[in-house]
Amino acid sequence: MSHATRPAAPSGLIPSLVGIRGVLSLIVVGVHLAPFAIAMVPATRGFFEPLWHHGYVVLDLFFVLSGFVISSGYARTFARWSGWGTFGRFLWARLSRFYPVHLAILVAMVAAVLASRAIGREIPHGGDLTWDLLRQVTLTSGWGGADALTWNGPVWSLSAEWACYLVLPLLLPLVQRLRTPAACVVGYLVACAVPLVAYGFLGFDDGTITYGMPLPRAFGGFLAGCALYQLASVGSRIPAWLGRVTGPLVALAFLTIVGVASVGLPSMLALPVVGLVVPALAQRRGAVDRLLSTRAALVGGEYSVALFLVHVPWILAGSLLINPRTFPGAWGIVGTLLLVLGAVVLAWAAFVVVERPAQRWMRRVVRRAPQAPARPVEERVEAAVEKTP
């Protein structure tokens, strides 16, 4: 195949890869809401229990998505070492996406825990004010060795992803050594195998894959996303083929999760199939892409970080007042809806009051890294939301 006819790697803002973040965040909310919803409305067990035990695979898709998107923006920047200044600006840009709202929510949690203890109550998973809190502040709670998820539990995944960012200048040149489609496919499968083999020995229990030893999960998924982007970069037609069957591929990914779960196997085993949804969406074709590119989906994607960070603290605190005792019987439906509504409202408030202003301020502090996208991804998302009818 001549160079002129080789498919190009996806570039620029891919709206559906923004929109899918909102969908995945809602699924994560459903996973953590499940035990509370089941307690208040037992009739919902048939829906929430499978989601509770098997929906965690969406976090693995988050890692794949992150590796793919970061590669699309910084593959050239970190093809070779670009200096500490460039690397520092990259890390600052990543921190601007989530750290201000994370810190604000953590401060609110500490205040809420101290206030609740003052009146003789306890917000679950408060954690201690020393080591547990320090790990949250320094984004090391997802690096393994913890005894439990404390304070804002979901932060473990952002912490593990932060570990990937810290070694990105080593990871991207390694992935870019995959210079043929076959090598990229093998690289993708090997990356997917990293968590599957590791947890085959360590165990797929919730503790191991979240706070005990989550880094194989994060690095495996992230590298898988990098390999998928490299697959497009070397001119493979596989991503274009996947783009033609995005809808069936999404259905296949869901059925694969259901299939492995139905025979008692860990849902994470579906990762090699689930991860293919990312390069398929990057082709910007089909009904699924259009659905995830709508204004509503883009807004959901823009609010996804705030929703991801705020929902567990809210559910834990809200459950002190919204529970089967205060919302008995059929009122449990109202209680469940209030927990969902509260998470959405607080996510909106966190985004408007903290995330967006802090992000804009942090962008102005340092200049953009050379060869990085012309505008930060977050800024391009805002522009896309404003333009989408």
Side-chain angles (χ1 to χ4, degrees):
M1 184 179 358
S2 69
H3 178 75
T5 60
R6 290 175 63 181
S11 60
L13 176 69
I14 302 172
S16 58
L17 294 187
V18 176
I20 195 175
R21 286 186 171 275
V23 175
L24 298 181
S25 293
L26 286 174
I27 295 174
V28 172
V29 171
V31 170
H32 294 138
L33 178 69
F36 300 90
I38 292 171
M40 286 194 288
V41 189
T44 62
R45 178 179 296 273
F47 171 77
F48 277 109
E49 193 160 46
L51 182 64
W52 183 11
H53 294 298
H54 305 292
Y56 70 85
V57 74
V58 301
L59 284 174
D60 299 282
L61 184 55
F62 261 125
F63 290 133
V64 176
L65 179 61
S66 180
F68 188 93
V69 171
I70 292 296
S71 292
S72 72
Y74 292 94
R76 291 179 59 194
T77 302
F78 294 115
R80 58 182 60 86
W81 178 242
S82 301
W84 289 106
T86 297
F87 185 45
R89 288 191 290 272
F90 162 74
L91 293 178
W92 184 260
R94 292 296 91 207
L95 280 176
S96 73
R97 182 71 178 105
F98 65 89
Y99 194 73
V101 70
H102 159 56
L103 199 59
I105 292 170
L106 188 60
V107 169
M109 283 197 75
V110 172
V113 167
L114 293 178
S116 67
R117 289 175 179 175
I119 60 174
R121 305 294 293 270
E122 183 69 36
I123 296 177
H125 301 296
D128 61 47
L129 293 169
T130 54
W131 180 242
D132 292 335
L133 186 59
L134 179 64
R135 284 168 63 94
Q136 286 268 317
V137 172
T138 58
L139 295 177
T140 55
S141 61
W143 291 10
D147 297 322
L149 288 176
T150 59
W151 295 106
N152 196 353
V155 170
W156 75 262
S157 61
L158 294 177
S159 167
E161 190 170 323
W162 176 246
C164 297
Y165 297 158
L166 290 176
V167 295
L168 189 70
L170 299 177
L171 297 183
L172 284 183
L174 177 66
V175 173
Q176 288 171 8
R177 295 180 68 87
L178 305 173
R179 297 195 173 100
T180 67
C184 293
V185 170
V186 171
Y188 172 68
L189 294 176
V190 169
C192 288
V194 168
L196 302 184
V197 172
Y199 298 126
F201 289 99
L202 297 171
F204 284 89
D205 57 284
D206 289 344
T208 301
I209 66 176
T210 55
Y211 56 82
M213 187 61 69
L215 288 183
R217 188 178 179 189
F219 276 95
F222 191 87
L223 282 169
C226 294
L228 288 172
Y229 181 79
Q230 182 67 7
L231 180 64
S233 298
V234 299
S236 172
R237 293 193 177 277
I238 293 175
W241 295 338
L242 294 174
R244 296 189 184 102
V245 293
T246 303
L249 183 58
V250 170
L252 176 62
F254 174 76
L255 291 175
T256 304
I257 297 172
V258 172
V260 297
S262 65
V263 296
L265 295 174
S267 303
M268 199 185 296
L269 293 177
L271 177 60
V273 176
V274 172
L276 296 178
V277 171
V278 174
L281 287 173
Q283 305 307 303
R284 310 184 193 185
R285 300 182 57 165
V288 176
D289 173 77
R290 290 193 295 273
L291 178 63
L292 293 175
S293 300
T294 59
R295 179 179 176 82
L298 288 174
V299 169
E302 194 174 11
Y303 284 38
S304 62
V305 171
L307 180 61
F308 185 80
L309 286 170
V310 80
H311 77 278
V312 165
W314 157 246
I315 290 173
L316 293 176
S319 65
L320 296 177
L321 298 175
I322 304 172
N323 52 59
R325 186 177 60 258
T326 55
F327 287 82
W331 286 102
I333 298 174
V334 176
T336 302
L337 291 175
L338 285 175
L339 287 177
V340 174
L341 180 62
V344 172
V345 171
L346 287 175
W348 170 81
F351 177 81
V352 172
V353 176
V354 179
E355 182 180 339
R356 183 164 56 185
Q359 205 175 85
R360 288 174 174 171
W361 174 79
M362 290 180 73
R363 290 179 198 156
R364 291 194 296 267
V365 171
V366 297
R367 292 179 301 175
R368 293 187 296 270
Q371 301 180 28
R375 288 184 293 170
V377 171
E378 293 77 21
E379 189 175 325
R380 288 180 284 145
V381 171
E382 290 177 11
V385 170
E386 293 171 0
K387 292 178 181 177
T388 305

